[in-house]
Amino acid sequence: MSDTHHHTHSSADAEIRAKALESLLIEKGLISTDLIDEVVRQYEEDIGPLNGARVVARAWTDPDYREWLLRDGTQAIADMGYHGREGSKIVVLENTASVHNLVVCTLCSCYPWPVLGLPPNWYKSYAYRARAVREPRKVLSEFGLILSEDIEVRVWDSNSEVRYLVLPEQPAGTETLSSEQLIALVSRDSMIGVAHANGPV
Amino acid sequence: MPDNTPSQIDELPADIAVPRDNGELQFAQPWEARAFGMAVLLNENGSYPWKHFSERLAETIHTAESHGDESAYYERWLNALESLAIENGLVSRDELTQRAIEQAHQHNHDHDHDHDHDH
């Protein structure tokens, strides 16, 4: 019998424990209410998939940037002003006519925060984490993405040191679009690899 | 990893859309956002490398899933954060327990107060 391992898992219980931890950390001068507010605000308002969409659109229109991005994703993304707070490396994976990349974190929820914000709930689900590696084509089909058998599917398992961002293929017929128009075609899901970029409207 | 994967992926939300500035609502309740912010800030002020938090979170998730525990994502996040904070000497388990009891007392008091009209 162990009291310390007894968890009721009620949300009220978690709320109380979170408040207890926060008040102690504040008393010890380790954090402040204002700093927490600011971090949360940044992740709710400033840091999101739009950052990644800007990176992708630049890579579509600038061959030198594309080459840099694929060679050193972390630095090329930092050049856009997007830095990983938690200091992990970002590797960019290029989708082509013959290779499709899919990103998962089988252990938890590692994700390229600086360019995509925080992960969607399905990315954190047990079903996605377990099945993306085992039956990627079936998972993709459930997202509505049916890939022909001659396209190789590569699944990349993120971890605490390396995060992955998919560079989707530029849709045909979008060569003359402006940068802003291209950015609008790049969905979050296309940068995780569960969708293609959207076609021209 | 257990092999009897539930086919919950059928329930994947159909929010495959052009991203809004921040995609989707991240936090179901305010305390989840607080727990998220605390973990990020403690990493930034050098209390632990992110790798340590990330690994602890993975362990916590693995333990919960292998026991069929239905706890939600941010409850696991909070468990990982508490255990890492204790292990790194930022807080002690005793003071955390004591403070939680005080908070619960306050919480119940507020709750009772809210319902005074009903009794």
PDB file of all heavy atoms in Angstrom, chain A residues 9 11 17 22-23 27-28 30 37 43-44 85 109 118 122 129 131 142, chain B residues 9 12 16 22 26 29 34 44-45 65 69 73 79 82 90 95 99:
ATOM      1  N   HIS A   9      -6.982  11.060 -10.307  1.00  0.00           N
ATOM      2  CA  HIS A   9      -7.128  11.461 -11.703  1.00  0.00           C
ATOM      3  C   HIS A   9      -8.363  12.288 -11.983  1.00  0.00           C
ATOM      4  O   HIS A   9      -8.790  12.394 -13.115  1.00  0.00           O
ATOM      5  CB  HIS A   9      -7.125  10.247 -12.639  1.00  0.00           C
ATOM      6  CG  HIS A   9      -5.807   9.563 -12.614  1.00  0.00           C
ATOM      7  ND1 HIS A   9      -4.644  10.205 -12.905  1.00  0.00           N
ATOM      8  CD2 HIS A   9      -5.488   8.290 -12.326  1.00  0.00           C
ATOM      9  CE1 HIS A   9      -3.644   9.354 -12.782  1.00  0.00           C
ATOM     10  NE2 HIS A   9      -4.130   8.194 -12.437  1.00  0.00           N
ATOM     11  N   SER A  11     -10.111  15.761 -12.544  1.00  0.00           N
ATOM     12  CA  SER A  11      -9.579  17.004 -13.058  1.00  0.00           C
ATOM     13  C   SER A  11      -9.440  18.038 -11.937  1.00  0.00           C
ATOM     14  O   SER A  11      -8.505  18.834 -11.920  1.00  0.00           O
ATOM     15  CB  SER A  11     -10.503  17.509 -14.159  1.00  0.00           C
ATOM     16  OG  SER A  11      -9.977  18.680 -14.690  1.00  0.00           O
ATOM     17  N   ARG A  17      -3.457  20.338  -7.626  1.00  0.00           N
ATOM     18  CA  ARG A  17      -2.018  20.056  -7.604  1.00  0.00           C
ATOM     19  C   ARG A  17      -1.242  21.063  -8.450  1.00  0.00           C
ATOM     20  O   ARG A  17      -0.135  21.469  -8.104  1.00  0.00           O
ATOM     21  CB  ARG A  17      -1.764  18.625  -8.066  1.00  0.00           C
ATOM     22  CG  ARG A  17      -2.265  17.587  -7.047  1.00  0.00           C
ATOM     23  CD  ARG A  17      -1.743  16.201  -7.345  1.00  0.00           C
ATOM     24  NE  ARG A  17      -2.293  15.685  -8.590  1.00  0.00           N
ATOM     25  CZ  ARG A  17      -1.573  15.290  -9.629  1.00  0.00           C
ATOM     26  NH1 ARG A  17      -0.255  15.344  -9.611  1.00  0.00           N
ATOM     27  NH2 ARG A  17      -2.154  14.831 -10.708  1.00  0.00           N
ATOM     28  N   GLU A  22       2.445  25.655  -8.622  1.00  0.00           N
ATOM     29  CA  GLU A  22       2.686  27.024  -9.077  1.00  0.00           C
ATOM     30  C   GLU A  22       2.968  27.953  -7.891  1.00  0.00           C
ATOM     31  O   GLU A  22       3.935  28.735  -7.917  1.00  0.00           O
ATOM     32  CB  GLU A  22       1.477  27.543  -9.874  1.00  0.00           C
ATOM     33  CG  GLU A  22       1.688  28.959 -10.403  1.00  0.00           C
ATOM     34  CD  GLU A  22       0.538  29.456 -11.276  1.00  0.00           C
ATOM     35  OE1 GLU A  22      -0.252  28.638 -11.783  1.00  0.00           O
ATOM     36  OE2 GLU A  22       0.442  30.686 -11.451  1.00  0.00           O
ATOM     37  N   SER A  23       2.174  27.843  -6.831  1.00  0.00           N
ATOM     38  CA  SER A  23       2.375  28.770  -5.708  1.00  0.00           C
ATOM     39  C   SER A  23       3.728  28.531  -5.033  1.00  0.00           C
ATOM     40  O   SER A  23       4.401  29.467  -4.630  1.00  0.00           O
ATOM     41  CB  SER A  23       1.207  28.685  -4.717  1.00  0.00           C
ATOM     42  OG  SER A  23       1.250  27.487  -3.989  1.00  0.00           O
ATOM     43  N   GLU A  27       6.843  31.239  -4.802  1.00  0.00           N
ATOM     44  CA  GLU A  27       7.447  31.598  -3.513  1.00  0.00           C
ATOM     45  C   GLU A  27       8.961  31.448  -3.528  1.00  0.00           C
ATOM     46  O   GLU A  27       9.684  32.210  -2.918  1.00  0.00           O
ATOM     47  CB  GLU A  27       6.892  30.701  -2.408  1.00  0.00           C
ATOM     48  CG  GLU A  27       5.576  31.182  -1.845  1.00  0.00           C
ATOM     49  CD  GLU A  27       4.991  30.187  -0.859  1.00  0.00           C
ATOM     50  OE1 GLU A  27       5.752  29.373  -0.285  1.00  0.00           O
ATOM     51  OE2 GLU A  27       3.775  30.211  -0.697  1.00  0.00           O
ATOM     52  N   LYS A  28       9.415  30.427  -4.265  1.00  0.00           N
ATOM     53  CA  LYS A  28      10.854  30.171  -4.314  1.00  0.00           C
ATOM     54  C   LYS A  28      11.544  31.044  -5.364  1.00  0.00           C
ATOM     55  O   LYS A  28      12.752  30.914  -5.593  1.00  0.00           O
ATOM     56  CB  LYS A  28      11.093  28.684  -4.610  1.00  0.00           C
ATOM     57  CG  LYS A  28      10.678  27.782  -3.449  1.00  0.00           C
ATOM     58  CD  LYS A  28      10.595  26.317  -3.871  1.00  0.00           C
ATOM     59  CE  LYS A  28       9.940  25.460  -2.811  1.00  0.00           C
ATOM     60  NZ  LYS A  28      10.804  25.245  -1.634  1.00  0.00           N
ATOM     61  N   LEU A  30      11.276  30.959  -8.582  1.00  0.00           N
ATOM     62  CA  LEU A  30      11.688  30.259  -9.801  1.00  0.00           C
ATOM     63  C   LEU A  30      10.878  30.686 -11.030  1.00  0.00           C
ATOM     64  O   LEU A  30      11.366  30.631 -12.158  1.00  0.00           O
ATOM     65  CB  LEU A  30      11.552  28.744  -9.605  1.00  0.00           C
ATOM     66  CG  LEU A  30      12.589  28.142  -8.646  1.00  0.00           C
ATOM     67  CD1 LEU A  30      12.165  26.744  -8.216  1.00  0.00           C
ATOM     68  CD2 LEU A  30      13.956  28.097  -9.325  1.00  0.00           C
ATOM     69  N   ASP A  37       1.842  33.551 -17.777  1.00  0.00           N
ATOM     70  CA  ASP A  37       0.849  34.162 -18.664  1.00  0.00           C
ATOM     71  C   ASP A  37       1.455  34.454 -20.038  1.00  0.00           C
ATOM     72  O   ASP A  37       0.829  34.214 -21.073  1.00  0.00           O
ATOM     73  CB  ASP A  37       0.340  35.499 -18.080  1.00  0.00           C
ATOM     74  CG  ASP A  37      -0.539  35.297 -16.855  1.00  0.00           C
ATOM     75  OD1 ASP A  37      -1.007  34.157 -16.638  1.00  0.00           O
ATOM     76  OD2 ASP A  37      -0.749  36.271 -16.112  1.00  0.00           O
ATOM     77  N   TYR A  43       2.201  30.875 -27.014  1.00  0.00           N
ATOM     78  CA  TYR A  43       1.839  29.626 -27.682  1.00  0.00           C
ATOM     79  C   TYR A  43       0.394  29.617 -28.147  1.00  0.00           C
ATOM     80  O   TYR A  43       0.037  28.895 -29.075  1.00  0.00           O
ATOM     81  CB  TYR A  43       2.165  28.412 -26.794  1.00  0.00           C
ATOM     82  CG  TYR A  43       3.612  28.034 -26.949  1.00  0.00           C
ATOM     83  CD1 TYR A  43       4.572  28.477 -26.062  1.00  0.00           C
ATOM     84  CD2 TYR A  43       4.024  27.279 -28.049  1.00  0.00           C
ATOM     85  CE1 TYR A  43       5.908  28.174 -26.232  1.00  0.00           C
ATOM     86  CE2 TYR A  43       5.359  26.972 -28.242  1.00  0.00           C
ATOM     87  CZ  TYR A  43       6.293  27.420 -27.329  1.00  0.00           C
ATOM     88  OH  TYR A  43       7.618  27.115 -27.519  1.00  0.00           O
ATOM     89  N   GLU A  44      -0.454  30.405 -27.528  1.00  0.00           N
ATOM     90  CA  GLU A  44      -1.835  30.453 -27.994  1.00  0.00           C
ATOM     91  C   GLU A  44      -2.016  31.418 -29.163  1.00  0.00           C
ATOM     92  O   GLU A  44      -2.877  31.211 -30.001  1.00  0.00           O
ATOM     93  CB  GLU A  44      -2.776  30.841 -26.836  1.00  0.00           C
ATOM     94  CG  GLU A  44      -2.960  29.682 -25.864  1.00  0.00           C
ATOM     95  CD  GLU A  44      -4.033  29.940 -24.813  1.00  0.00           C
ATOM     96  OE1 GLU A  44      -4.229  31.108 -24.421  1.00  0.00           O
ATOM     97  OE2 GLU A  44      -4.665  28.967 -24.394  1.00  0.00           O
ATOM     98  N   ARG A  85      12.509  27.046 -28.322  1.00  0.00           N
ATOM     99  CA  ARG A  85      12.760  27.416 -26.927  1.00  0.00           C
ATOM    100  C   ARG A  85      13.449  26.284 -26.207  1.00  0.00           C
ATOM    101  O   ARG A  85      14.243  26.504 -25.303  1.00  0.00           O
ATOM    102  CB  ARG A  85      11.434  27.687 -26.211  1.00  0.00           C
ATOM    103  CG  ARG A  85      10.526  28.668 -26.888  1.00  0.00           C
ATOM    104  CD  ARG A  85       9.272  28.832 -26.073  1.00  0.00           C
ATOM    105  NE  ARG A  85       9.545  29.633 -24.917  1.00  0.00           N
ATOM    106  CZ  ARG A  85       9.107  30.879 -24.744  1.00  0.00           C
ATOM    107  NH1 ARG A  85       8.384  31.430 -25.671  1.00  0.00           N
ATOM    108  NH2 ARG A  85       9.381  31.547 -23.662  1.00  0.00           N
ATOM    109  N   SER A 109       4.977  13.175 -27.432  1.00  0.00           N
ATOM    110  CA  SER A 109       4.357  14.201 -28.270  1.00  0.00           C
ATOM    111  C   SER A 109       5.390  15.173 -28.799  1.00  0.00           C
ATOM    112  O   SER A 109       5.099  16.340 -28.997  1.00  0.00           O
ATOM    113  CB  SER A 109       3.304  14.947 -27.451  1.00  0.00           C
ATOM    114  OG  SER A 109       3.898  15.396 -26.244  1.00  0.00           O
ATOM    115  N   LEU A 118       1.921  23.994 -30.813  1.00  0.00           N
ATOM    116  CA  LEU A 118       1.754  22.753 -30.056  1.00  0.00           C
ATOM    117  C   LEU A 118       0.953  21.746 -30.876  1.00  0.00           C
ATOM    118  O   LEU A 118       0.154  22.121 -31.718  1.00  0.00           O
ATOM    119  CB  LEU A 118       1.060  23.058 -28.726  1.00  0.00           C
ATOM    120  CG  LEU A 118       1.932  23.935 -27.820  1.00  0.00           C
ATOM    121  CD1 LEU A 118       1.170  24.349 -26.574  1.00  0.00           C
ATOM    122  CD2 LEU A 118       3.216  23.220 -27.448  1.00  0.00           C
ATOM    123  N   TRP A 122      -4.997  14.739 -31.847  1.00  0.00           N
ATOM    124  CA  TRP A 122      -4.843  13.397 -32.427  1.00  0.00           C
ATOM    125  C   TRP A 122      -3.379  12.965 -32.482  1.00  0.00           C
ATOM    126  O   TRP A 122      -3.077  11.789 -32.398  1.00  0.00           O
ATOM    127  CB  TRP A 122      -5.506  13.295 -33.812  1.00  0.00           C
ATOM    128  CG  TRP A 122      -5.047  14.282 -34.849  1.00  0.00           C
ATOM    129  CD1 TRP A 122      -5.682  15.409 -35.247  1.00  0.00           C
ATOM    130  CD2 TRP A 122      -3.845  14.217 -35.644  1.00  0.00           C
ATOM    131  NE1 TRP A 122      -4.956  16.053 -36.229  1.00  0.00           N
ATOM    132  CE2 TRP A 122      -3.841  15.345 -36.492  1.00  0.00           C
ATOM    133  CE3 TRP A 122      -2.787  13.310 -35.739  1.00  0.00           C
ATOM    134  CZ2 TRP A 122      -2.807  15.597 -37.406  1.00  0.00           C
ATOM    135  CZ3 TRP A 122      -1.753  13.553 -36.633  1.00  0.00           C
ATOM    136  CH2 TRP A 122      -1.767  14.696 -37.459  1.00  0.00           C
ATOM    137  N   ARG A 129      -0.050   7.316 -32.390  1.00  0.00           N
ATOM    138  CA  ARG A 129       1.349   6.984 -32.070  1.00  0.00           C
ATOM    139  C   ARG A 129       1.645   5.514 -32.341  1.00  0.00           C
ATOM    140  O   ARG A 129       2.714   5.162 -32.812  1.00  0.00           O
ATOM    141  CB  ARG A 129       1.653   7.353 -30.611  1.00  0.00           C
ATOM    142  CG  ARG A 129       1.622   8.877 -30.397  1.00  0.00           C
ATOM    143  CD  ARG A 129       2.048   9.259 -28.993  1.00  0.00           C
ATOM    144  NE  ARG A 129       1.075   8.861 -28.001  1.00  0.00           N
ATOM    145  CZ  ARG A 129       1.275   7.978 -27.037  1.00  0.00           C
ATOM    146  NH1 ARG A 129       2.435   7.376 -26.905  1.00  0.00           N
ATOM    147  NH2 ARG A 129       0.330   7.689 -26.189  1.00  0.00           N
ATOM    148  N   ARG A 131      -0.168   3.429 -34.361  1.00  0.00           N
ATOM    149  CA  ARG A 131      -0.475   2.926 -35.696  1.00  0.00           C
ATOM    150  C   ARG A 131       0.310   3.576 -36.828  1.00  0.00           C
ATOM    151  O   ARG A 131       0.447   2.987 -37.901  1.00  0.00           O
ATOM    152  CB  ARG A 131      -1.980   3.068 -35.960  1.00  0.00           C
ATOM    153  CG  ARG A 131      -2.816   2.166 -35.049  1.00  0.00           C
ATOM    154  CD  ARG A 131      -4.290   2.248 -35.397  1.00  0.00           C
ATOM    155  NE  ARG A 131      -4.503   2.016 -36.806  1.00  0.00           N
ATOM    156  CZ  ARG A 131      -5.433   2.639 -37.549  1.00  0.00           C
ATOM    157  NH1 ARG A 131      -6.229   3.527 -36.994  1.00  0.00           N
ATOM    158  NH2 ARG A 131      -5.549   2.368 -38.815  1.00  0.00           N
ATOM    159  N   GLU A 142      -7.136   7.114 -43.636  1.00  0.00           N
ATOM    160  CA  GLU A 142      -8.181   7.605 -42.732  1.00  0.00           C
ATOM    161  C   GLU A 142      -8.171   9.141 -42.643  1.00  0.00           C
ATOM    162  O   GLU A 142      -9.163   9.754 -42.238  1.00  0.00           O
ATOM    163  CB  GLU A 142      -8.014   6.973 -41.346  1.00  0.00           C
ATOM    164  CG  GLU A 142      -8.386   5.491 -41.369  1.00  0.00           C
ATOM    165  CD  GLU A 142      -7.945   4.716 -40.150  1.00  0.00           C
ATOM    166  OE1 GLU A 142      -7.782   5.334 -39.079  1.00  0.00           O
ATOM    167  OE2 GLU A 142      -7.755   3.498 -40.272  1.00  0.00           O
TER     168      GLU A 142
ATOM    169  N   ILE B   9      -8.648   5.849 -34.052  1.00  0.00           N
ATOM    170  CA  ILE B   9      -8.211   6.809 -35.042  1.00  0.00           C
ATOM    171  C   ILE B   9      -9.382   7.207 -35.940  1.00  0.00           C
ATOM    172  O   ILE B   9      -9.367   8.236 -36.587  1.00  0.00           O
ATOM    173  CB  ILE B   9      -7.013   6.253 -35.833  1.00  0.00           C
ATOM    174  CG1 ILE B   9      -6.106   7.407 -36.239  1.00  0.00           C
ATOM    175  CG2 ILE B   9      -7.452   5.425 -37.008  1.00  0.00           C
ATOM    176  CD1 ILE B   9      -4.668   7.058 -36.305  1.00  0.00           C
ATOM    177  N   LEU B  12     -10.456  10.625 -35.296  1.00  0.00           N
ATOM    178  CA  LEU B  12      -9.598  11.775 -35.582  1.00  0.00           C
ATOM    179  C   LEU B  12     -10.460  12.944 -36.023  1.00  0.00           C
ATOM    180  O   LEU B  12     -11.306  12.794 -36.898  1.00  0.00           O
ATOM    181  CB  LEU B  12      -8.621  11.436 -36.713  1.00  0.00           C
ATOM    182  CG  LEU B  12      -7.520  10.461 -36.359  1.00  0.00           C
ATOM    183  CD1 LEU B  12      -6.645  10.207 -37.576  1.00  0.00           C
ATOM    184  CD2 LEU B  12      -6.673  11.014 -35.238  1.00  0.00           C
ATOM    185  N   ILE B  16      -8.821  19.234 -40.772  1.00  0.00           N
ATOM    186  CA  ILE B  16      -7.711  19.330 -41.710  1.00  0.00           C
ATOM    187  C   ILE B  16      -7.926  20.578 -42.541  1.00  0.00           C
ATOM    188  O   ILE B  16      -8.524  20.543 -43.604  1.00  0.00           O
ATOM    189  CB  ILE B  16      -7.647  18.074 -42.582  1.00  0.00           C
ATOM    190  CG1 ILE B  16      -7.522  16.838 -41.685  1.00  0.00           C
ATOM    191  CG2 ILE B  16      -6.488  18.154 -43.547  1.00  0.00           C
ATOM    192  CD1 ILE B  16      -7.636  15.537 -42.415  1.00  0.00           C
ATOM    193  N   ASN B  22      -2.981  30.029 -34.738  1.00  0.00           N
ATOM    194  CA  ASN B  22      -2.513  29.042 -33.789  1.00  0.00           C
ATOM    195  C   ASN B  22      -3.228  27.708 -33.915  1.00  0.00           C
ATOM    196  O   ASN B  22      -3.338  26.968 -32.956  1.00  0.00           O
ATOM    197  CB  ASN B  22      -2.665  29.583 -32.364  1.00  0.00           C
ATOM    198  CG  ASN B  22      -2.053  28.650 -31.362  1.00  0.00           C
ATOM    199  OD1 ASN B  22      -1.020  28.070 -31.644  1.00  0.00           O
ATOM    200  ND2 ASN B  22      -2.702  28.472 -30.246  1.00  0.00           N
ATOM    201  N   GLN B  26      -5.657  24.806 -27.560  1.00  0.00           N
ATOM    202  CA  GLN B  26      -4.712  23.838 -27.010  1.00  0.00           C
ATOM    203  C   GLN B  26      -5.139  23.297 -25.655  1.00  0.00           C
ATOM    204  O   GLN B  26      -4.893  22.149 -25.335  1.00  0.00           O
ATOM    205  CB  GLN B  26      -3.338  24.498 -26.842  1.00  0.00           C
ATOM    206  CG  GLN B  26      -2.608  24.681 -28.146  1.00  0.00           C
ATOM    207  CD  GLN B  26      -2.241  23.363 -28.787  1.00  0.00           C
ATOM    208  OE1 GLN B  26      -2.201  22.325 -28.139  1.00  0.00           O
ATOM    209  NE2 GLN B  26      -1.990  23.388 -30.075  1.00  0.00           N
ATOM    210  N   GLN B  29      -8.630  23.304 -20.085  1.00  0.00           N
ATOM    211  CA  GLN B  29      -8.911  24.031 -18.852  1.00  0.00           C
ATOM    212  C   GLN B  29      -7.724  24.929 -18.521  1.00  0.00           C
ATOM    213  O   GLN B  29      -6.597  24.618 -18.884  1.00  0.00           O
ATOM    214  CB  GLN B  29      -9.119  23.044 -17.703  1.00  0.00           C
ATOM    215  CG  GLN B  29     -10.330  22.148 -17.903  1.00  0.00           C
ATOM    216  CD  GLN B  29     -10.521  21.219 -16.734  1.00  0.00           C
ATOM    217  OE1 GLN B  29     -10.779  21.658 -15.625  1.00  0.00           O
ATOM    218  NE2 GLN B  29     -10.354  19.938 -16.976  1.00  0.00           N
ATOM    219  N   ARG B  34      -1.434  26.510 -17.376  1.00  0.00           N
ATOM    220  CA  ARG B  34      -0.466  26.860 -16.325  1.00  0.00           C
ATOM    221  C   ARG B  34       0.616  25.774 -16.234  1.00  0.00           C
ATOM    222  O   ARG B  34       1.801  26.067 -16.091  1.00  0.00           O
ATOM    223  CB  ARG B  34      -1.131  27.007 -14.955  1.00  0.00           C
ATOM    224  CG  ARG B  34      -2.394  27.828 -14.902  1.00  0.00           C
ATOM    225  CD  ARG B  34      -2.256  29.231 -15.334  1.00  0.00           C
ATOM    226  NE  ARG B  34      -1.423  30.039 -14.436  1.00  0.00           N
ATOM    227  CZ  ARG B  34      -1.007  31.261 -14.742  1.00  0.00           C
ATOM    228  NH1 ARG B  34      -1.356  31.813 -15.881  1.00  0.00           N
ATOM    229  NH2 ARG B  34      -0.248  31.928 -13.889  1.00  0.00           N
ATOM    230  N   GLU B  44      13.608  26.998 -19.330  1.00  0.00           N
ATOM    231  CA  GLU B  44      14.297  28.220 -19.751  1.00  0.00           C
ATOM    232  C   GLU B  44      15.183  28.796 -18.656  1.00  0.00           C
ATOM    233  O   GLU B  44      16.213  29.390 -18.949  1.00  0.00           O
ATOM    234  CB  GLU B  44      13.278  29.274 -20.192  1.00  0.00           C
ATOM    235  CG  GLU B  44      12.673  28.944 -21.528  1.00  0.00           C
ATOM    236  CD  GLU B  44      11.782  30.052 -22.042  1.00  0.00           C
ATOM    237  OE1 GLU B  44      11.632  31.068 -21.357  1.00  0.00           O
ATOM    238  OE2 GLU B  44      11.249  29.889 -23.149  1.00  0.00           O
ATOM    239  N   ASN B  45      14.776  28.639 -17.407  1.00  0.00           N
ATOM    240  CA  ASN B  45      15.622  29.214 -16.354  1.00  0.00           C
ATOM    241  C   ASN B  45      16.699  28.232 -15.881  1.00  0.00           C
ATOM    242  O   ASN B  45      17.357  28.466 -14.870  1.00  0.00           O
ATOM    243  CB  ASN B  45      14.776  29.770 -15.194  1.00  0.00           C
ATOM    244  CG  ASN B  45      14.120  28.675 -14.378  1.00  0.00           C
ATOM    245  OD1 ASN B  45      14.520  27.513 -14.415  1.00  0.00           O
ATOM    246  ND2 ASN B  45      13.106  29.051 -13.623  1.00  0.00           N
ATOM    247  N   GLU B  65      -0.312   4.235 -19.878  1.00  0.00           N
ATOM    248  CA  GLU B  65      -0.934   3.425 -20.933  1.00  0.00           C
ATOM    249  C   GLU B  65      -0.780   1.935 -20.667  1.00  0.00           C
ATOM    250  O   GLU B  65      -1.675   1.144 -20.978  1.00  0.00           O
ATOM    251  CB  GLU B  65      -0.358   3.796 -22.299  1.00  0.00           C
ATOM    252  CG  GLU B  65      -0.921   5.133 -22.769  1.00  0.00           C
ATOM    253  CD  GLU B  65      -0.300   5.663 -24.044  1.00  0.00           C
ATOM    254  OE1 GLU B  65       0.738   5.127 -24.479  1.00  0.00           O
ATOM    255  OE2 GLU B  65      -0.855   6.637 -24.594  1.00  0.00           O
ATOM    256  N   ASP B  69      -4.552   3.234 -17.739  1.00  0.00           N
ATOM    257  CA  ASP B  69      -4.977   4.435 -17.027  1.00  0.00           C
ATOM    258  C   ASP B  69      -5.570   5.437 -18.023  1.00  0.00           C
ATOM    259  O   ASP B  69      -4.982   5.712 -19.053  1.00  0.00           O
ATOM    260  CB  ASP B  69      -3.708   4.993 -16.362  1.00  0.00           C
ATOM    261  CG  ASP B  69      -3.961   6.213 -15.531  1.00  0.00           C
ATOM    262  OD1 ASP B  69      -4.865   6.983 -15.853  1.00  0.00           O
ATOM    263  OD2 ASP B  69      -3.210   6.386 -14.555  1.00  0.00           O
ATOM    264  N   TYR B  73      -4.036  13.879 -21.133  1.00  0.00           N
ATOM    265  CA  TYR B  73      -2.662  14.256 -21.488  1.00  0.00           C
ATOM    266  C   TYR B  73      -2.021  15.210 -20.472  1.00  0.00           C
ATOM    267  O   TYR B  73      -0.900  14.982 -20.013  1.00  0.00           O
ATOM    268  CB  TYR B  73      -2.676  14.898 -22.876  1.00  0.00           C
ATOM    269  CG  TYR B  73      -1.319  15.324 -23.362  1.00  0.00           C
ATOM    270  CD1 TYR B  73      -0.408  14.398 -23.860  1.00  0.00           C
ATOM    271  CD2 TYR B  73      -0.945  16.665 -23.325  1.00  0.00           C
ATOM    272  CE1 TYR B  73       0.837  14.784 -24.312  1.00  0.00           C
ATOM    273  CE2 TYR B  73       0.306  17.067 -23.781  1.00  0.00           C
ATOM    274  CZ  TYR B  73       1.188  16.127 -24.275  1.00  0.00           C
ATOM    275  OH  TYR B  73       2.422  16.521 -24.715  1.00  0.00           O
ATOM    276  N   ASN B  79       2.008  15.233 -13.803  1.00  0.00           N
ATOM    277  CA  ASN B  79       2.710  14.195 -13.033  1.00  0.00           C
ATOM    278  C   ASN B  79       4.208  14.205 -13.349  1.00  0.00           C
ATOM    279  O   ASN B  79       5.044  14.087 -12.462  1.00  0.00           O
ATOM    280  CB  ASN B  79       2.131  12.805 -13.351  1.00  0.00           C
ATOM    281  CG  ASN B  79       0.753  12.610 -12.739  1.00  0.00           C
ATOM    282  OD1 ASN B  79       0.360  13.348 -11.837  1.00  0.00           O
ATOM    283  ND2 ASN B  79       0.010  11.640 -13.244  1.00  0.00           N
ATOM    284  N   GLU B  82       5.778  17.395 -11.781  1.00  0.00           N
ATOM    285  CA  GLU B  82       5.931  17.259 -10.326  1.00  0.00           C
ATOM    286  C   GLU B  82       7.118  16.356  -9.981  1.00  0.00           C
ATOM    287  O   GLU B  82       7.938  16.697  -9.130  1.00  0.00           O
ATOM    288  CB  GLU B  82       4.675  16.607  -9.718  1.00  0.00           C
ATOM    289  CG  GLU B  82       3.507  17.535  -9.506  1.00  0.00           C
ATOM    290  CD  GLU B  82       2.324  16.801  -8.876  1.00  0.00           C
ATOM    291  OE1 GLU B  82       2.293  15.546  -8.885  1.00  0.00           O
ATOM    292  OE2 GLU B  82       1.427  17.479  -8.382  1.00  0.00           O
ATOM    293  N   LEU B  90      13.616  21.237  -6.569  1.00  0.00           N
ATOM    294  CA  LEU B  90      12.959  22.543  -6.665  1.00  0.00           C
ATOM    295  C   LEU B  90      11.888  22.677  -5.592  1.00  0.00           C
ATOM    296  O   LEU B  90      11.661  23.748  -5.042  1.00  0.00           O
ATOM    297  CB  LEU B  90      12.321  22.727  -8.050  1.00  0.00           C
ATOM    298  CG  LEU B  90      13.232  22.516  -9.261  1.00  0.00           C
ATOM    299  CD1 LEU B  90      12.441  22.724 -10.544  1.00  0.00           C
ATOM    300  CD2 LEU B  90      14.423  23.461  -9.222  1.00  0.00           C
ATOM    301  N   GLU B  95       6.162  19.352   0.992  1.00  0.00           N
ATOM    302  CA  GLU B  95       5.580  20.700   0.896  1.00  0.00           C
ATOM    303  C   GLU B  95       4.534  20.768  -0.214  1.00  0.00           C
ATOM    304  O   GLU B  95       3.545  21.496  -0.103  1.00  0.00           O
ATOM    305  CB  GLU B  95       6.653  21.789   0.757  1.00  0.00           C
ATOM    306  CG  GLU B  95       7.512  21.709  -0.469  1.00  0.00           C
ATOM    307  CD  GLU B  95       8.651  22.741  -0.456  1.00  0.00           C
ATOM    308  OE1 GLU B  95       8.644  23.638   0.406  1.00  0.00           O
ATOM    309  OE2 GLU B  95       9.536  22.647  -1.323  1.00  0.00           O
ATOM    310  N   ARG B  99       0.799  21.818   0.545  1.00  0.00           N
ATOM    311  CA  ARG B  99       0.209  22.949  -0.160  1.00  0.00           C
ATOM    312  C   ARG B  99      -1.067  22.530  -0.902  1.00  0.00           C
ATOM    313  O   ARG B  99      -2.035  23.276  -0.961  1.00  0.00           O
ATOM    314  CB  ARG B  99       1.241  23.539  -1.143  1.00  0.00           C
ATOM    315  CG  ARG B  99       0.791  24.781  -1.905  1.00  0.00           C
ATOM    316  CD  ARG B  99       0.443  25.947  -0.985  1.00  0.00           C
ATOM    317  NE  ARG B  99       1.516  26.313  -0.086  1.00  0.00           N
ATOM    318  CZ  ARG B  99       2.429  27.259  -0.328  1.00  0.00           C
ATOM    319  NH1 ARG B  99       2.383  27.949  -1.444  1.00  0.00           N
ATOM    320  NH2 ARG B  99       3.379  27.522   0.547  1.00  0.00           N
TER     321      ARG B  99
END
